[in-house]
Amino acid sequence: MLTFRRPRMFVARLDSRVESTPLARYLLRAYLSGLPTGDRYRDTAELLLGELFANAVQHSDAPDDRHIEVRFTLTPDDLLRLEVHDADTTRPLLRAATPDDEHGRGLLLVGELAERWGCASRPCGIGKYVWALIAPATTP
């Protein structure tokens, strides 16, 4: 008889560059492929991870040699928890974008698509992390 064991948290440190965003999404897809219902999280999780990672790269004033850490885990209530850690202490701001703005809607997407999201100081005292909880998509 096959039994499902809840996977451990996945953690990776990536270069703080926009070019690392596809790698972060690839790592998330690999993590989700090991879950029996991982495909039910994939689309929303990839979109939100891309937004959070890009925000960490673009808006962080941390030194260039600092990495961005991503963490993925499945919570006991079957929500996917994404975390993006960076060395900057400035918290993200939800702002209203005008129709002509090319940027500024990422956190609006996170707020609309995540069950909950937030920001907290890192336990080590350097920087912050932004987290989002994602519910599995319902099957038709």
Side-chain angles (χ1 to χ4, degrees):
M1 170 188 233
L2 289 175
T3 59
F4 173 69
R5 291 182 49 189
R6 189 162 302 283
R8 294 183 183 196
M9 179 181 285
F10 175 85
V11 179
R13 290 186 180 100
L14 306 174
D15 290 337
S16 181
R17 304 176 329 143
V18 173
E19 295 83 10
S20 296
T21 306
L23 176 57
R25 288 193 304 259
Y26 171 81
L27 294 170
L28 175 62
R29 281 192 305 275
Y31 177 82
L32 292 174
S33 72
L35 302 179
T37 59
D39 59 326
R40 294 177 57 205
Y41 301 92
R42 188 182 62 238
D43 294 339
T44 301
E46 278 191 62
L47 176 63
L48 297 190
L49 178 62
E51 291 295 335
L52 296 177
F53 195 92
N55 281 352
V57 170
Q58 292 170 357
H59 300 292
S60 176
D61 65 358
D64 291 339
D65 65 341
R66 298 291 180 162
H67 289 95
I68 294 175
E69 184 173 280
V70 294
R71 296 182 183 192
F72 321 132
T73 193
L74 197 59
T75 67
D77 50 351
D78 290 328
L79 296 174
L80 177 66
R81 182 178 175 98
L82 303 178
E83 294 181 10
V84 177
H85 296 238
D86 65 62
D88 186 15
T89 57
T90 306
R91 293 181 177 250
L93 293 174
L94 190 61
R95 64 182 182 97
T98 67
D100 295 333
D101 287 342
E102 292 184 22
H103 302 284
R105 293 176 185 81
L107 289 179
L108 290 171
L109 279 172
V110 174
E112 287 296 317
L113 297 176
E115 290 292 304
R116 293 185 304 280
W117 73 278
C119 181
S121 298
R122 294 184 72 203
C124 65
I126 299 172
K128 64 163 177 320
Y129 65 96
V130 181
W131 57 270
L133 295 174
I134 300 164
T138 56
T139 55

